[in-house]
Amino acid sequence: MDLRSFKLHRPDQHVRAVVVGARGEQGRDLEGPAYARVDAVAGPMWAAFERHAGSPVRAVAVDAFARHATLSLADARRPGLKLPGSEFEAFVDVVAPVARTIRGELIARAPDVPGAGPGEARFWDPMFAADTGGWELGRAAPPLVTWFSEHVPKGMHALVPGCGRGHEARLLAALEATVTAIDLAPTAIAQAQAMTPPGLPITFAVQDLFTRIGQPPAFDLVVEHTCFCAIDPARRDDYVTAVADALQPRGTLVGLFYAHGRPGGPPFTTDRAEVERRFARRFAIEQLEVAQGSTLIRHRQELFAVMRRR
Ligand SMILES: C[S@@+](CC[C@H](N)C(=O)[O-])C[C@H]1O[C@@H](n2cnc3c(N)ncnc32)[C@H](O)[C@@H]1O
């Protein structure tokens, strides 16, 4: 569930947020102790805004998707101060923790399935059915959208492992790649199929990525988004083997690796050193850096990678 926009109002101790998930947008409010938990991380943001405005600020409205903000000043005679595009980017480091906390307050916790682990469909299926998957952005990840708009995958055969509702698969197919999108969870695949307009060249299949190990290579592109972080970390070398085996020699892996730094999971965190260490065995790593343009709630928490199969 992603945070599209929010307004934080200090005098009223109130947050109004718009969240987006698989079922579209929803307005939500936070008050009382939930507001206090948000305010507890908002100090650096207010301080930065007040330095910028040169006066006390009583509210901020952030459009997280369009990436701009408006400040309401305590002096009601002064008009709101707009922070467009590049000006807003200068504040993202202090706004993102606030956005993450708001979203953390609003997210519906998935009920535990007794005894089920992330390697099983019965772990994932109920989250797709009830729309409690915290990972859901409701669209393809912005850094991947930017990359593929500049590196159009037209004519490529692409594999999307752990495709969920198929956002990245549709992105690639709309850019004229031929896509195979696989997921362990039948509910994910059913929903992905229902969301996909007829005529897009995507084959959706219920399939465990690890069953591809040792199969003949069939793809020239693998696109990773929140599959690596979803599997049991003990199987990460198997993940590398599976995606490398799926690719033709010199085939490309383009992906986002979630490096949120929190314990537990899924999503299980990673870092640059681990990605380098595990993937170097089968890939030449051409690019591995903190992603630019991540959705606000994942700002500086995603590594963007481009790798070439050896
Ligand atoms: C966190 S969700 C992300 C879904 C999608 N990539 C997105 O970002 O919207 C992880 C997905 O990986 C799938 N998955 C986990 N292990 C898998 C495996 N071994 N093979 C295929 N899919 C797997 C889950 O069923 C789930 O749909």
Side-chain angles (χ1 to χ4, degrees), residues 58-251:
R58 65 189 177 96
V60 59
V62 173
D63 186 326
F65 281 17
R67 295 176 91 93
H68 57 72
T70 305
L71 307 179
S72 304
L73 305 181
D75 179 352
R77 290 165 305 180
R78 287 184 59 191
L81 193 62
K82 293 204 181 309
L83 299 174
S86 57
E87 274 186 52
F88 175 75
E89 292 305 321
F91 293 93
V92 169
D93 283 343
V94 288
V95 173
V98 178
R100 274 197 277 278
T101 307
I102 293 171
R103 185 255 193 192
E105 289 291 331
L106 292 171
I107 200 164
R109 305 281 165 201
D112 282 347
V113 177
E120 296 172 274
R122 69 193 180 107
F123 178 91
W124 297 100
D125 269 325
M127 291 194 261
F128 284 101
D131 196 16
T132 51
W135 66 80
E136 182 63 53
L137 297 184
R139 66 196 193 290
L144 295 175
V145 174
T146 303
W147 174 264
F148 286 112
S149 71
E150 292 163 3
H151 302 82
V152 177
K154 182 173 178 175
M156 296 182 98
H157 285 84
L159 173 69
V160 182
C163 65
R165 294 186 173 97
H167 304 297
E168 278 73 30
R170 285 185 291 278
L171 167 72
L172 300 170
L175 294 169
E176 298 184 49
T178 300
V179 183
T180 297
I182 63 169
D183 201 289
L184 204 58
T187 312
I189 292 299
Q191 293 184 358
Q193 283 168 327
M195 290 168 72
T196 299
L200 277 185
I202 308 176
T203 305
F204 285 107
V206 177
Q207 190 179 73
D208 187 329
L209 172 66
F210 299 121
T211 64
R212 298 203 72 92
I213 292 175
Q215 298 296 311
F219 300 97
D220 23 48
L221 175 65
V222 168
V223 175
E224 158 60 37
H225 178 225
T226 59
C227 181
F228 184 78
C229 69
I231 61 171
D232 181 343
R235 299 212 67 185
R236 285 182 168 178
D237 285 336
D238 292 338
Y239 174 99
V240 174
T241 303
V243 293
D245 284 2
L247 280 168
Q248 309 280 4
R250 302 215 31 86

